Amino acid sequence: PLAASPDRARRYSNSSSSSSGSNSSTRAALLPSRLQSREPPQPAAAAAAESATAQSAAPSLTESAEIPEEAGQSSAAVTEPPAADMRLSSACRSACCCCGLGRRARHRLAGGADFVRRHLAFALAPAACLLAVESGGLVAFAVLLLGALLGLLSLEAYLVYCRNEPPESRYFVDHPSRYGLPSQTVFLDSGRGARLHCYFIKQPGDSTRLPTLLFLHGNAGNIGHRLPNAALLFHQCRVNLFLLEYRGYGISTGAPSGTGLYADAAAALQHLSRRSDIDPQRVLLFGRSLGGAVAIELAARPETAALLSGLVLENTFTSLPEAASVLFRLPLLSSLPGLVMTNRFNSRAKMPSIRVPTLFISGLRDTLIPPAMSACLHSLCGSGVRRLETFESGEHNTTWQCAGYFQRLAGFLHFASEMAPQREDWHAGQHSEDEEDQSAGAAAAAASATSAAGGASAGTTADDIPTITVL
């Protein structure tokens, strides 16, 4: 519009130049430091030379790179969105700039364009249906089925991995310094081009005597949205925290998938096992919702379970198709997720393989994941030390705000970390217990079922888990 009207463009440029002095300082104060400095475009030859020089001088990031941060810093960690999410044409960018749209608005336009592109199959489905009716050809019918299948797969990934909710999640990540937490920013390489953004929050003093919690978040947002919860874990439970941001979430690169999330959590666990400022024998997994399914996968693998001293699962599901079927009330539709979903996260089948001490936390007012799923996982768990804690007023995302939550959690974390020297004998001891149970026959099976249904805890020493009073 400005190019079509020279007079209007002249008035716009005059008004912009007259108000630049008053608005520049305001914009500089509002924009983060990463977004304030934008260099003018360079010629192709100069840009290539500068890129080669920067690559030769940059440090290697094959394992991890840590950026220490101080608690006194007030600026949040903000990074520009990945280039794949900013595929706007030059004409669209110039129009956005002329209209006064900032980086956030351009990113939302790019997200909308990406949503339309990914769900183009739904837009083409009616046209293919009309073509099939008119011509009666098998080709058009095959195109219709293929488009419907691609559309369902895209819709499944969009609903399972809500990495763009809230809308700022992909380019704004809050920083621990805003909550007075001493932290390090860690970047990990997790394979297939995924570079993971993480926060390591360490207790002052001798942190090697305290448990370290690897925090695996749910399917939406980023690790910045978990910082209020992390601050209470840090102060009330007295633990070190490692917050992992999955691939494709926040400012981590890559695209999320089931195998990708497993690889991300395994990379973070390997990183913690090599750190010298914590005790690698006192590392526990904490998984909430989708993060619980990722934590179960790692605890069920012998090679990663050997690095764990405990497992905490909060409001997680038996499998993703079973959780999705709860949303469908009709009998015929309730079986649809089990037929079409590719992201299954079948935790039900993995629970008998878990041997580490396990704490299950369930909010009884959770309307997204039925509390009965936590009870089912608890009954299937193969660990000799397991416990189920329920909270009457707990909802899916607010159970950690219930009274007594941190006291019960702190008691289990410190109890499991003190049992860490015995974890080498867990597998052998559990195998012998399994053989005794098989030889005992139906009587032992009935006793086990009665023990699983009779209380919130099961196992030989689960009732001895203390509750720490936090002042």
Side-chain angles (χ1 to χ4, degrees), residues 378-400:
H378 170 261
S379 64
L380 295 173
C381 182
S383 174
V385 180
R386 61 183 185 270
R387 187 180 185 117
L388 174 62
E389 295 283 359
T390 60
F391 295 88
E392 186 68 30
S393 60
E395 299 179 358
H396 185 69
N397 293 317
T398 61
T399 304
W400 60 277

Side-chain angles (χ1 to χ4, degrees), residues 20-65:
S20 60
S22 59
N23 292 339
S24 59
S25 59
T26 304
R27 293 178 179 176
L30 293 177
L31 289 177
S33 59
R34 284 291 301 271
L35 305 184
Q36 290 179 12
S37 59
R38 298 193 60 184
E39 299 179 357
Q42 300 178 358
E50 183 179 354
S51 175
T53 304
Q55 291 180 0
S56 62
S60 175
L61 293 175
T62 55
E63 294 187 357
S64 64

Side-chain angles (χ1 to χ4, degrees), residues 163-170 172-175 179 199 215 217 220-230 243 245 250 288 400:
R163 50 183 178 157
N164 295 315
E165 297 295 334
E168 302 87 359
S169 299
R170 290 291 285 127
F172 179 81
V173 182
D174 208 351
H175 196 268
Y179 300 88
Y199 289 144
F215 193 102
H217 62 78
N222 55 50
I223 56 177
H225 298 116
R226 277 75 187 183
L227 287 176
N229 188 187
L243 276 65
E245 200 164 66
R288 175 177 293 154
W400 60 277

Side-chain angles (χ1 to χ4, degrees), residues 200-213 233-241 277-284 309 410 413-418 420 468:
F200 178 62
I201 306 173
K202 186 178 65 173
Q203 290 283 346
D206 190 3
S207 57
T208 59
R209 297 178 177 271
L210 299 174
T212 299
L213 204 61
L233 286 170
F234 179 82
H235 292 294
Q236 298 203 28
C237 293
R238 291 284 299 167
V239 294
N240 307 309
L241 290 169
D277 51 354
I278 64 171
D279 186 358
Q281 300 288 326
R282 299 173 182 264
V283 176
L284 299 92
S309 62
L413 295 178
H414 290 271
F415 171 80
S417 64
E418 293 298 330
I468 294 181

Side-chain angles (χ1 to χ4, degrees), residues 112-309:
D114 182 66
F115 179 84
V116 172
R117 175 181 58 81
R118 290 165 54 186
H119 297 79
L120 187 61
F122 288 115
L124 295 179
C129 184
L130 292 176
L131 182 61
V133 172
E134 291 293 335
S135 62
L138 295 178
V139 175
F141 184 70
V143 171
L144 174 62
L145 290 181
L146 180 60
L149 179 61
L150 294 177
L152 288 175
L153 294 178
S154 299
L155 182 61
E156 177 190 345
Y158 182 79
L159 295 177
V160 172
Y161 308 111
C162 304
R163 50 183 178 157
N164 295 315
E165 297 295 334
E168 302 87 359
S169 299
R170 290 291 285 127
Y171 61 91
F172 179 81
V173 182
D174 208 351
H175 196 268
S177 61
R178 292 191 58 193
Y179 300 88
L181 300 175
S183 65
Q184 289 179 342
T185 300
V186 181
F187 288 93
L188 300 177
D189 289 337
S190 182
R192 295 189 177 182
R195 190 165 183 260
L196 311 178
H197 173 238
C198 313
Y199 289 144
F200 178 62
I201 306 173
K202 186 178 65 173
Q203 290 283 346
D206 190 3
S207 57
T208 59
R209 297 178 177 271
L210 299 174
T212 299
L213 204 61
L214 174 53
F215 193 102
L216 304 176
H217 62 78
N219 71 322
N222 55 50
I223 56 177
H225 298 116
R226 277 75 187 183
L227 287 176
N229 188 187
L232 293 177
L233 286 170
F234 179 82
H235 292 294
Q236 298 203 28
C237 293
R238 291 284 299 167
V239 294
N240 307 309
L241 290 169
F242 191 89
L243 276 65
L244 168 67
E245 200 164 66
Y246 308 129
R247 63 182 65 198
Y249 282 78
I251 60 176
S252 296
T253 61
S257 64
T259 55
L261 266 59
Y262 297 153
D264 297 344
L269 189 59
Q270 291 290 339
H271 170 76
L272 290 176
S273 67
R274 295 191 298 264
R275 294 190 69 106
S276 60
D277 51 354
I278 64 171
D279 186 358
Q281 300 288 326
R282 299 173 182 264
V283 176
L284 299 92
L285 281 180
F286 178 96
R288 175 177 293 154
S289 189
L290 179 64
V294 180
I296 290 173
E297 171 68 20
L298 265 65
R301 296 178 181 177
E303 64 274 11
T304 51
L307 304 176
L308 297 175
S309 62

Side-chain angles (χ1 to χ4, degrees), residues 58-82:
S60 175
L61 293 175
T62 55
E63 294 187 357
S64 64
E66 301 181 2
I67 306 175
E69 303 286 350
E70 299 295 337
Q73 293 182 353
S74 59
S75 60
V78 182
T79 304
E80 296 182 7

